[in-house]
Amino acid sequence: MIANYTNHAANERTFLAWIRTALAVAAFGFFLIKLNVLVDAVGGGNMVPVPTEDAGALVAVATRYAGLALVVIGIAIIARSGIAFGRTRRAIDRDEVVEIPRSRTESLLSAALVIAVLVFCINLARI
């Protein structure tokens, strides 16, 4: 039997949940980029008349960057979860109690995700 098997299995399930979340975030980013390309192809960038021409162009550019940001956030989540998985695996195998320091990475990634989703919502309101 593997020592601390239940703890290792829980650590792996958590890691896989983070990977699944990261893939969903990156896929949403790709969707956002592709949606912008589709809107540009179908309606020339403006499906509904916008009061100023610059506002529509600004939202389109912001949406593209939000999509790229979501892809980067997805990659960052994968990297962060891999680091946390390895650190937790080593902590489980130690005999003594290990204090794992708190990290602000999750909060920063969540804030970036919220900003990117808000830009996407603004783009949807534009359509």
Side-chain angles (χ1 to χ4, degrees):
M1 185 76 181
I2 300 171
N4 299 318
Y5 175 75
T6 56
N7 292 333
H8 283 293
N11 185 33
E12 187 173 350
R13 283 191 302 272
T14 303
F15 172 67
L16 293 174
W18 276 107
I19 294 295
R20 186 175 54 241
T21 302
L23 290 174
V25 168
F28 188 65
F30 283 123
F31 167 74
L32 196 57
I33 294 167
K34 284 301 207 180
L35 177 69
N36 230 1
V37 171
L38 176 69
V39 168
D40 287 345
V42 170
N46 287 327
M47 295 191 75
V48 176
V50 179
T52 64
E53 197 64 34
D54 292 338
L58 178 66
V59 171
V61 169
T63 303
R64 281 195 183 97
Y65 283 121
L68 289 173
L70 285 172
V71 172
V72 170
I73 290 169
I75 293 169
I77 290 171
I78 290 172
R80 174 68 174 107
S81 64
I83 292 168
F85 173 74
R87 184 178 60 196
T88 304
R89 184 186 61 203
R90 287 187 299 278
I92 290 170
D93 288 335
R94 289 184 148 176
D95 291 333
E96 68 270 1
V97 175
V98 176
E99 181 83 24
I100 295 178
R102 300 289 298 168
S103 174
R104 293 186 183 167
T105 307
E106 289 85 6
S107 299
L108 292 173
L109 289 172
S110 297
L113 185 61
V114 166
I115 291 168
V117 169
L118 284 174
V119 170
F120 176 69
C121 290
I122 291 169
N123 186 38
L124 282 181
R126 176 180 75 101
I127 294 177

